[in-house]
Amino acid sequence: MNKLDINARGVYLIAVTPFAEDGSLDLASTDRMVDFYLERGANGLTILGIMGEATKLTAEESRTFTRQVLKRVNGRVPVVVGASSAGFAPMKELTQSVMDMGASGVMIAPASSVRTDEQILAYFDMVNETLGPDVPWVLQDHPVSTGVKMSNSVVLSILKNSLNCVMLKHEDCPGLGKLSAIRAASERGEVKRVAILTGNGGGLFLPEELSRGADGAMTGFVYPEMMVGVCNAHAAGDTERAHDIFDAYLPLARYEQQPVAGLAVRKHILAARGAIASAAVRRPGPKLSAADIADIDRLTRRQIKRLKELGLE
Amino acid sequence: MNKLDINARGVYLIAVTPFAEDGSLDLASTDRMVDFYLERGANGLTILGIMGEATKLTAEESRTFTRQVLKRVNGRVPVVVGASSAGFAPMKELTQSVMDMGASGVMIAPASSVRTDEQILAYFDMVNETLGPDVPWVLQDHPVSTGVKMSNSVVLSILKNSLNCVMLKHEDCPGLGKLSAIRAASERGEVKRVAILTGNGGGLFLPEELSRGADGAMTGFVYPEMMVGVCNAHAAGDTERAHDIFDAYLPLARYEQQPVAGLAVRKHILAARGAIASAAVRRPGPKLSAADIADIDRLTRRQIKRLKELGLE
Amino acid sequence: MNKLDINARGVYLIAVTPFAEDGSLDLASTDRMVDFYLERGANGLTILGIMGEATKLTAEESRTFTRQVLKRVNGRVPVVVGASSAGFAPMKELTQSVMDMGASGVMIAPASSVRTDEQILAYFDMVNETLGPDVPWVLQDHPVSTGVKMSNSVVLSILKNSLNCVMLKHEDCPGLGKLSAIRAASERGEVKRVAILTGNGGGLFLPEELSRGADGAMTGFVYPEMMVGVCNAHAAGDTERAHDIFDAYLPLARYEQQPVAGLAVRKHILAARGAIASAAVRRPGPKLSAADIADIDRLTRRQIKRLKELGLE
Amino acid sequence: MNKLDINARGVYLIAVTPFAEDGSLDLASTDRMVDFYLERGANGLTILGIMGEATKLTAEESRTFTRQVLKRVNGRVPVVVGASSAGFAPMKELTQSVMDMGASGVMIAPASSVRTDEQILAYFDMVNETLGPDVPWVLQDHPVSTGVKMSNSVVLSILKNSLNCVMLKHEDCPGLGKLSAIRAASERGEVKRVAILTGNGGGLFLPEELSRGADGAMTGFVYPEMMVGVCNAHAAGDTERAHDIFDAYLPLARYEQQPVAGLAVRKHILAARGAIASAAVRRPGPKLSAADIADIDRLTRRQIKRLKELGLE
C-alpha cells in the first residue's frame, strides 16, 4: 500500500547509517535520525546508498538497519532501499528481504562492468527479471560512482522496457540537458512519465533542475530544510525565492559536497544538530581536522546570519 | 592444524563454482570437481575467487559452497577462501565463518578505492586488524581486476607489516622483475620469505616464474596436469622438460585466458572432462558459440596429439 | 627577467583560447581577452591548459597563440604555458619554443600512465632533466584530469627533488588537508616554500584555501574580479568580507564548473562581457541550449543584485 | 595510386621507431628495418602506432620518420600512418602531411573521452569530416589502449557511415565473436565488406581469427615469418599447418606480448636479428634485465629447435 509509484515527488533524504564510536550500528540514533528527517519535511527516505556506507555493512546489519528504519517510519513516508549489487542473486535476496519488511521500492545502478548501450540495456532486462513483477524500482544514473555513462536514448529505452521502473534518480553531470530531454520525451508521449528526483552534486543544481521538470530531490544534504524550502517555493511559482533559499545554503552545501571528505562533514553536522549521537564513519573513511571543523563553524555561522537576513530563521 | 603457512608450494587450483542449468548451486558437481582437482595432483584449492563467480553468490550460498568443498576435501589439502570485500565488516564476517568451518586461510586483494602507497599500506594495516592474530592470509596482487598497482617496495612493506601474510599471489603483469625483486629481498634477509604462487595470465608465464623463484602456481587452467607437470619438472631440475610440457598446453591455455569469455571456455572443458555436470555461468556471463566450441575441439585434438609426441599421454 | 619564482602570488587567470565562428584562431580576440583579464587585476596568465583546449591546437597554432598573448602582455605579468605531454621530446620542444618567446615558466602534470609513488617520482626526475636548469615550472596536481593521485609525501618529495619547481597548482579534491600539510612542511623547514595557487573546482574553495596558506588562485572563472576581490580581502585580514564576495559569485561559479559544459558557459559569458568575439568551442565540445542560456541570464541578474546589496557593483 | 582499399590483405607490420642509443631518431636503422620487414614478406607497414612510440616524437620527428619510411618503401607496399589525436586540428594536419608524402592511408582510434554509442558515432562523423573525401582510413578497435568499448552494432554503423573507412584493425578481446558478427553482416549485404586485419594480443589469436574471416594480421611480432606463414598456410587451406607454425612461435610471441615490457623485448630481438642498430626505447619505457634476456635466449633456442622439427628452418 506504501509502494513507490510514478507520482512520487518532493524531498527524499539519502540517510546516513549511524554508528556508535566503536563502529557498531547505533539503532537509537537511527530512530532519532528518522525523526530528524521527517520533522524537517522529508517526503521519503533512501537508505543503504553510497553515503549510507552500504558496502561496509554485513548482510545481517543491512537487514537490522532497514528493519529499524521501517519500524520508526511506520508507513509515514516511502522508504527506498539501495539494492545495487555485483550479482543478481544478492540483489534478489536483499530486495525480497527488504520488500517483505515493508520497503516501498529499491534503487538500482548499473554494474560497473557494463559499458556499451547494448550491455546496459541487457543488464536492466536482467534487473527486471530479477526484481520480478511486484517491486517498484528507481533507476540510479550516477556515472561518477559507477563509471557507466547512459545516454538520453539509453535511459529512455530502459524506461520503456521496465514496467516497474517508476523513478529516475538523476545524478549525471552535466545533466540539465538530459533532464530536459527525458521530460520532453514523456511530454511527447514517447515514454511514460516517471518521477525524477535529482541528486547531482548533492543537490547543487536543484533550482535549475526543478525548472527543467524534476519532481524533487533525492539527496542527503544535512539541512533538509533547504531542499524542502526550494521545492516548496518552486511549487508555489516563486523561482526567485527558491534561488534565495538555495543560495543561502550553497556555501555549506558546496563544502559538504567534497568527494570522500563530505561524509565526515555531513555526519559531523548531523551530530551537532542532535540527529545522531556520533559522527563516526566506518573505516576506511574520512576524518575531520580542527581546521575542517573551524571551516564548518564559520560557514554555519554565516549561514544562520544569511538566513536571518532572508527572514528564514 | 591445516593452516596455510609460508612453506606452501605446488599447485593451488582456483576452483570454479559449479551451477546447475537453472543457475542453482550444484553441490554434487562440487564434490566431483574437488575429486577431479585432487586426483590430478592439486596441492591446494582456492575458492570464491573472481573465476569462482564469488560476487554472484549470496552470503548464504558462499557459506554452503565453502562447507561442501571443505567437507569433500576433508583436510587432504589446504583450502584458501577469497575474502576481499568493499567493507571490513563483511570481510571479517566471511573470514570468521569460513575459518570456523576449517578453511586454511583467506585471500585478500586491495579495495579498488585505494591508490597511493600510503593508502595501500593503511589499507592492509586495517586488513591485519580485521583478520586478527589467528588467520593466515594471502596477498593478491592483481591490478587488472583491482586497478591497484603495488610497487615492489609497497609489497615488501606489506609483508613486513603483516605477521600473518604467508603467501603472495603474484598476478601483476609484467611481473617477472617484481618476482625477482621480492625474492632478492628475502634472500638478503630484509623480509621474511613468504610462499609465492603465480597466476599471471592464468599461468601463462609459469616456467619463467618458477625460474625467478616462485613456489608454484595458483591458477585455474582446466588442465591441472599442466601446472603439476611443469612444477614437478622444474623441481627435478629439468627446465627444458618444464617448457616442453608448458608449450604443449599453451595454445589451449591461451584460448582459455581470453578476458570474460575464458570462464565459459573453462567450464565447457570441465564439463567435457566430467568434472562438473553443467557449464552454466551465472548472468551476466559469457556464452560460447558453435564456432568457439569448434575452436576448443580443434585445440584439444591438437593438444592430445602433441602430448603423445612428447610421451605425455 | 620575468621568470616565475616562488614569490608568485595573487590571481593567475587560466585563459581560454578564442576561436572565430569557423573554428580558426581569433588573434584579435586574444588581445581583447588579455586586456580584459589584466584590467580586472590578474597577476598572471596561464595559457594552453585543459580549459584552453590545448589538445585541439596544432603545434603551430600553439606557438602562434602563445606569441600573440606574450606580445600583448608585453611583460606586464608572468605568463605560464601548459606543457604537459605524453612524451618528453614534445614537452622539451614546446618548452624551449615558448621560453624563447618570453614565457615565464611552464606547467606540468604527470602523464596518466604513472601510478605508484616510485613511478611518479621517476617521472618528475625525467621532467627536471627535460626542462633543464633554466626553466621554472609549476607542478599541476589535478587527479580528475590525469588520473594520478599524488600523496602529500609524494608532492613534498617532488618539491625537494626539483630545484626549478617554484609553484604548486593545487587542484586535488578534497584538498584542504593536503594544502595544510604542505604548508606545515615548509614552515618546519623540511622543504622550500613554493607558491601555491589553487584551482580546485575552478576556485570553489578559494576562501578556505587562502586560510590554509594558499598564495592565490589559478583558475579561469569568468569573473576575475571575484578571485581578485577575495584575495585582496583576505590579504587585508577581512576574512568575512572575502567570504561575502565569494558567496555572491558562488551560484554562477558553481554553474560554470559543470564538467564539460562549463567551458561553453565560460566562453558564452566572456563573449557577453565583450572579452572575446565568439563563444565558439572546437569540436568535440559542449554547446549551450536556450534553457542553459536562460539559466545563465537568471544567475547573472541575481549576481548583479547581490553585488549591489554588498556595495560591490 | 597506392591508396589503401577494402581489398587489402595479408600481413601489415606495426613498425617500431628505431632510436640511437642517445634517443635520437636512427634513420639508417629505419631503412634496415623496412628492408627486414619487406624481405620477410610484409604486405604493408603501419607506422606511428602505440608500439611505434608515436606520442614520444615531436611533430617534426614524426614527419621525418614517415618520410624516411616512405622513401625506402618506395611504393612497394602500402604504408598506413597512425593519426589518432586528442584534437581534430592536429589529426588533420598530420594526415594531410603524410598523405602528401605518399602514405596509403591513416589509422584512427576513438578519443578516450567518448563513451556512449551516440558519442562514438558522432566522433567518427567528425573524423570523416576531418579526413575529407580523399583519405582512406583504418578503424582501430583497441579498448585496452583507448578505454572505448565499441559494440558490434556500433562498429557496423561506423562502417556504414564512413565511405572511406576501408579497413578494421580488430583488437578487441575477446573478439572472435565480434569478428564473426561483422563478417556475417557483410555477407548478408548489410554493410560493405571491409578488410579486417587483426592485432588482438599482438596476433595471439591469428589462426582462429583467419578462420572467422579475417584477411590477415596487423601486428608487430618480431618474427614476421610467423604471421606470413600462418596466413599463407591458411590461404592454402591447410589449417593444421597454420596452427603448427603458430604454435612454434607462440611461446616467444606470448613473452613479447607482456604489457609495457613487450616493446623492450621486441626491440631487443630486432636488434639481435640485425634489423635495427640499438634496442633503445625512449623514456619512460621498459628495460630488460639479465634474467629477461636469459628468458629470451632460451625461448629463441627452443623456437629454432621446434621450427627445425617442423621442417621450417
Side-chain angles (χ1 to χ4, degrees), chain D residues 219-266:
Chain D
T219 176
F221 178 50
V222 66
Y223 287 87
E225 42 271 66
M226 183 274 269
M227 289 84 81
V228 171
V230 170
C231 286
N232 288 345
H234 177 83
D238 192 346
T239 307
E240 291 300 317
R241 183 69 174 172
H243 276 274
D244 286 344
I245 297 168
F246 176 78
D247 291 357
Y249 288 96
L250 181 56
L252 191 53
R254 155 208 67 120
Y255 198 87
E256 196 219 43
Q257 281 311 309
Q258 295 175 78
V260 184
L263 180 59
V265 176
R266 179 172 295 174

Coordinates of all heavy atoms in Angstrom, one line a residue, chain D residues 219-266:
Chain D
T219 N 50.1 -6.5 -36.9 CA 50.7 -6.6 -35.6 C 52.3 -6.6 -35.8 O 52.8 -6.6 -36.9 CB 50.3 -8.0 -35.0 OG1 51.0 -8.1 -33.7 CG2 50.7 -9.2 -35.8
G220 N 53.0 -6.5 -34.7 CA 54.4 -6.2 -34.8 C 55.3 -7.3 -34.2 O 56.5 -7.0 -34.0
F221 N 54.7 -8.5 -34.1 CA 55.6 -9.6 -33.6 C 56.9 -9.7 -34.4 O 56.9 -9.6 -35.6 CB 54.8 -10.9 -33.7 CG 55.6 -12.1 -33.2 CD1 56.3 -12.1 -32.0 CD2 55.7 -13.3 -33.9 CE1 57.0 -13.2 -31.5 CE2 56.4 -14.4 -33.5 CZ 57.1 -14.3 -32.3
V222 N 57.9 -9.8 -33.6 CA 59.3 -9.6 -34.2 C 59.7 -10.7 -35.2 O 60.7 -10.6 -35.8 CB 60.2 -9.5 -33.0 CG1 60.3 -10.9 -32.2 CG2 61.6 -9.0 -33.3
Y223 N 58.9 -11.8 -35.3 CA 59.1 -12.7 -36.4 C 58.0 -12.6 -37.4 O 57.0 -13.4 -37.3 CB 59.2 -14.2 -35.8 CG 60.5 -14.4 -35.1 CD1 60.6 -14.1 -33.7 CD2 61.6 -14.9 -35.7 CE1 61.8 -14.3 -33.1 CE2 62.8 -15.1 -35.0 CZ 62.9 -14.8 -33.7 OH 64.1 -14.9 -33.0
P224 N 58.1 -11.7 -38.4 CA 57.0 -11.6 -39.4 C 56.8 -12.9 -40.1 O 55.7 -13.1 -40.6 CB 57.6 -10.5 -40.3 CG 58.7 -9.8 -39.6 CD 59.2 -10.8 -38.6
E225 N 57.8 -13.7 -40.2 CA 57.6 -15.0 -40.9 C 56.5 -15.8 -40.2 O 55.9 -16.7 -40.9 CB 59.0 -15.8 -41.0 CG 59.8 -15.8 -39.7 CD 60.8 -14.6 -39.6 OE1 60.3 -13.5 -39.5 OE2 62.0 -14.8 -39.6
M226 N 56.3 -15.7 -38.9 CA 55.2 -16.4 -38.3 C 53.8 -16.0 -39.0 O 53.1 -16.8 -39.5 CB 55.1 -16.1 -36.8 CG 54.0 -16.9 -36.1 SD 52.3 -16.1 -36.1 CE 52.4 -15.2 -34.5
M227 N 53.6 -14.7 -39.0 CA 52.3 -14.2 -39.5 C 52.2 -14.6 -41.0 O 51.1 -15.0 -41.4 CB 52.1 -12.7 -39.3 CG 51.9 -12.3 -37.9 SD 53.4 -12.1 -36.9 CE 53.9 -10.4 -37.4
V228 N 53.3 -14.4 -41.7 CA 53.2 -14.7 -43.1 C 53.0 -16.2 -43.3 O 52.1 -16.6 -44.2 CB 54.6 -14.2 -43.8 CG1 54.7 -14.7 -45.2 CG2 54.7 -12.7 -43.7
G229 N 53.7 -17.0 -42.6 CA 53.5 -18.4 -42.7 C 52.1 -18.9 -42.4 O 51.5 -19.7 -43.1
V230 N 51.6 -18.3 -41.3 CA 50.2 -18.7 -40.9 C 49.2 -18.3 -41.9 O 48.3 -19.1 -42.3 CB 49.9 -18.1 -39.5 CG1 48.4 -18.3 -39.2 CG2 50.7 -18.7 -38.4
C231 N 49.3 -17.1 -42.4 CA 48.4 -16.6 -43.4 C 48.5 -17.4 -44.7 O 47.5 -17.7 -45.3 CB 48.7 -15.1 -43.7 SG 48.1 -14.0 -42.4
N232 N 49.7 -17.7 -45.1 CA 49.9 -18.5 -46.3 C 49.3 -19.9 -46.2 O 48.6 -20.4 -47.1 CB 51.3 -18.6 -46.7 CG 51.9 -17.3 -47.2 OD1 51.1 -16.4 -47.6 ND2 53.2 -17.1 -47.3
A233 N 49.6 -20.5 -45.1 CA 49.0 -21.9 -44.9 C 47.5 -21.8 -44.8 O 46.8 -22.7 -45.4 CB 49.6 -22.5 -43.6
H234 N 47.0 -20.8 -44.2 CA 45.5 -20.7 -44.1 C 44.9 -20.5 -45.5 O 43.9 -21.1 -45.9 CB 45.1 -19.5 -43.2 CG 43.6 -19.3 -43.2 ND1 42.8 -20.0 -42.4 CD2 42.8 -18.5 -43.9 CE1 41.6 -19.6 -42.6 NE2 41.6 -18.7 -43.5
A235 N 45.6 -19.6 -46.3 CA 45.1 -19.3 -47.7 C 45.2 -20.6 -48.5 O 44.3 -20.8 -49.4 CB 46.0 -18.2 -48.3
A236 N 46.1 -21.5 -48.2 CA 46.3 -22.7 -49.0 C 45.3 -23.8 -48.4 O 45.3 -24.9 -48.9 CB 47.7 -23.2 -48.9
G237 N 44.5 -23.4 -47.5 CA 43.5 -24.4 -46.9 C 44.1 -25.3 -45.9 O 43.4 -26.2 -45.5
D238 N 45.3 -25.1 -45.5 CA 46.0 -26.1 -44.6 C 45.9 -25.5 -43.2 O 46.9 -25.0 -42.7 CB 47.4 -26.4 -45.0 CG 48.0 -27.5 -44.3 OD1 47.4 -28.0 -43.3 OD2 49.1 -28.0 -44.7
T239 N 44.8 -25.6 -42.5 CA 44.6 -25.0 -41.2 C 45.5 -25.6 -40.2 O 46.0 -24.9 -39.3 CB 43.1 -25.2 -40.8 OG1 42.3 -24.7 -41.8 CG2 42.8 -24.5 -39.5
E240 N 45.7 -27.0 -40.3 CA 46.6 -27.6 -39.3 C 48.0 -27.1 -39.4 O 48.7 -26.8 -38.4 CB 46.6 -29.1 -39.4 CG 45.2 -29.8 -39.1 CD 44.8 -29.5 -37.6 OE1 45.7 -29.6 -36.7 OE2 43.6 -29.2 -37.4
R241 N 48.5 -26.9 -40.6 CA 49.8 -26.3 -40.8 C 49.9 -24.9 -40.3 O 50.9 -24.5 -39.7 CB 50.1 -26.3 -42.3 CG 51.5 -25.8 -42.7 CD 52.6 -26.8 -42.3 NE 53.9 -26.4 -42.7 CZ 55.0 -27.0 -42.3 NH1 54.9 -28.0 -41.4 NH2 56.2 -26.7 -42.8
A242 N 48.8 -24.1 -40.5 CA 48.8 -22.8 -39.9 C 48.9 -22.8 -38.4 O 49.7 -22.1 -37.8 CB 47.4 -22.1 -40.3
H243 N 48.2 -23.8 -37.8 CA 48.4 -23.9 -36.3 C 49.8 -24.4 -35.9 O 50.3 -24.0 -34.9 CB 47.3 -24.9 -35.8 CG 46.0 -24.2 -35.5 ND1 45.7 -23.6 -34.4 CD2 44.9 -24.1 -36.3 CE1 44.5 -23.1 -34.4 NE2 43.9 -23.4 -35.6
D244 N 50.3 -25.3 -36.7 CA 51.7 -25.8 -36.4 C 52.7 -24.6 -36.3 O 53.5 -24.5 -35.4 CB 52.1 -26.8 -37.4 CG 51.4 -28.2 -37.3 OD1 50.8 -28.4 -36.2 OD2 51.5 -29.0 -38.2
I245 N 52.6 -23.8 -37.4 CA 53.5 -22.7 -37.4 C 53.3 -21.7 -36.3 O 54.2 -21.3 -35.6 CB 53.4 -21.9 -38.8 CG1 53.7 -22.9 -40.0 CG2 54.2 -20.7 -38.8 CD1 53.3 -22.3 -41.3
F246 N 52.0 -21.4 -36.1 CA 51.7 -20.5 -35.0 C 52.2 -21.1 -33.7 O 52.8 -20.3 -32.9 CB 50.1 -20.4 -35.0 CG 49.7 -19.5 -33.8 CD1 49.7 -18.1 -33.9 CD2 49.1 -20.1 -32.7 CE1 49.3 -17.4 -32.8 CE2 48.6 -19.3 -31.6 CZ 48.7 -18.0 -31.7
D247 N 51.9 -22.3 -33.4 CA 52.3 -22.9 -32.1 C 53.8 -22.9 -31.9 O 54.3 -22.7 -30.7 CB 51.8 -24.4 -32.0 CG 50.3 -24.4 -31.9 OD1 49.6 -23.4 -31.8 OD2 49.8 -25.6 -31.9
A248 N 54.5 -23.0 -32.9 CA 56.0 -23.0 -32.8 C 56.5 -21.6 -32.3 O 57.5 -21.6 -31.6 CB 56.7 -23.3 -34.1
Y249 N 55.8 -20.6 -32.7 CA 56.3 -19.2 -32.3 C 55.6 -18.8 -31.0 O 55.9 -17.7 -30.5 CB 56.0 -18.3 -33.4 CG 56.9 -18.4 -34.6 CD1 56.5 -19.1 -35.7 CD2 58.2 -17.7 -34.6 CE1 57.4 -19.2 -36.9 CE2 59.0 -17.8 -35.8 CZ 58.6 -18.6 -36.9 OH 59.4 -18.6 -37.9
L250 N 54.5 -19.5 -30.6 CA 53.7 -18.9 -29.6 C 54.4 -18.7 -28.3 O 54.2 -17.6 -27.6 CB 52.5 -19.9 -29.3 CG 51.5 -19.5 -28.3 CD1 50.9 -18.1 -28.5 CD2 50.3 -20.5 -28.2
P251 N 55.3 -19.5 -27.8 CA 56.0 -19.2 -26.5 C 56.7 -17.9 -26.5 O 56.6 -17.1 -25.5 CB 56.9 -20.4 -26.3 CG 56.3 -21.5 -27.1 CD 55.6 -20.9 -28.3
L252 N 57.4 -17.6 -27.6 CA 58.1 -16.3 -27.7 C 57.1 -15.2 -27.9 O 57.2 -14.1 -27.3 CB 59.1 -16.3 -28.8 CG 60.1 -15.2 -28.8 CD1 60.8 -15.0 -27.4 CD2 61.2 -15.4 -29.9
A253 N 56.1 -15.4 -28.7 CA 55.1 -14.3 -29.0 C 54.4 -13.9 -27.7 O 54.2 -12.8 -27.4 CB 54.1 -14.8 -30.0
R254 N 54.1 -15.0 -26.9 CA 53.4 -14.7 -25.6 C 54.4 -13.9 -24.7 O 54.0 -12.9 -24.1 CB 53.2 -16.1 -24.9 CG 53.1 -16.1 -23.4 CD 53.6 -17.4 -22.9 NE 55.0 -17.7 -23.1 CZ 55.9 -17.9 -22.2 NH1 55.6 -17.9 -20.9 NH2 57.2 -18.0 -22.5
Y255 N 55.7 -14.2 -24.8 CA 56.6 -13.4 -23.9 C 56.7 -12.0 -24.4 O 56.9 -11.0 -23.6 CB 58.0 -14.1 -24.0 CG 58.9 -13.7 -22.9 CD1 58.9 -14.3 -21.6 CD2 59.8 -12.6 -23.0 CE1 59.7 -13.9 -20.6 CE2 60.6 -12.2 -22.0 CZ 60.6 -12.9 -20.8 OH 61.4 -12.5 -19.7
E256 N 56.7 -11.8 -25.7 CA 56.8 -10.5 -26.3 C 55.5 -9.6 -26.1 O 55.5 -8.4 -26.2 CB 57.0 -10.6 -27.8 CG 57.5 -9.3 -28.5 CD 57.0 -9.1 -29.8 OE1 55.8 -9.3 -30.0 OE2 57.7 -8.7 -30.7
Q257 N 54.4 -10.3 -25.7 CA 53.2 -9.6 -25.5 C 52.9 -9.1 -24.1 O 51.8 -8.7 -23.8 CB 52.0 -10.5 -26.0 CG 51.8 -10.5 -27.5 CD 51.8 -9.1 -28.0 OE1 51.1 -8.2 -27.5 NE2 52.7 -8.8 -29.0
Q258 N 53.9 -9.2 -23.2 CA 53.7 -8.7 -21.9 C 53.5 -7.1 -22.0 O 54.2 -6.5 -22.8 CB 55.0 -8.9 -21.0 CG 55.3 -10.3 -20.7 CD 56.6 -10.5 -20.0 OE1 56.6 -10.2 -18.8 NE2 57.6 -10.8 -20.7
P259 N 52.5 -6.6 -21.3 CA 52.2 -5.2 -21.4 C 53.5 -4.4 -21.0 O 54.2 -4.9 -20.1 CB 51.1 -5.0 -20.4 CG 50.5 -6.3 -20.1 CD 51.6 -7.3 -20.4
V260 N 53.7 -3.3 -21.6 CA 54.8 -2.4 -21.3 C 56.1 -3.0 -21.6 O 56.8 -2.5 -22.5 CB 54.8 -1.9 -19.8 CG1 55.9 -0.9 -19.6 CG2 53.5 -1.3 -19.4
A261 N 56.5 -4.1 -21.0 CA 57.8 -4.7 -21.2 C 58.0 -5.2 -22.6 O 59.1 -5.3 -23.1 CB 58.0 -5.9 -20.2
G262 N 56.9 -5.5 -23.2 CA 56.9 -6.2 -24.6 C 57.7 -5.4 -25.6 O 58.5 -6.0 -26.4
L263 N 57.6 -4.1 -25.5 CA 58.3 -3.3 -26.5 C 59.9 -3.4 -26.4 O 60.6 -3.5 -27.4 CB 58.0 -1.8 -26.4 CG 58.6 -0.9 -27.4 CD1 58.3 -1.2 -28.8 CD2 58.3 0.6 -27.1
A264 N 60.3 -3.6 -25.2 CA 61.8 -3.8 -25.0 C 62.2 -5.1 -25.5 O 63.3 -5.3 -26.1 CB 62.1 -3.7 -23.5
V265 N 61.3 -6.1 -25.3 CA 61.6 -7.5 -25.9 C 61.7 -7.4 -27.4 O 62.6 -7.9 -28.0 CB 60.5 -8.5 -25.4 CG1 60.7 -9.8 -26.1 CG2 60.4 -8.6 -23.9
R266 N 60.7 -6.7 -28.0 CA 60.6 -6.6 -29.4 C 61.9 -6.0 -30.0 O 62.5 -6.4 -30.9 CB 59.4 -5.8 -29.8 CG 59.2 -5.6 -31.3 CD 57.9 -5.0 -31.6 NE 56.8 -5.9 -31.3 CZ 55.5 -5.6 -31.3 NH1 55.1 -4.4 -31.7 NH2 54.6 -6.5 -31.0

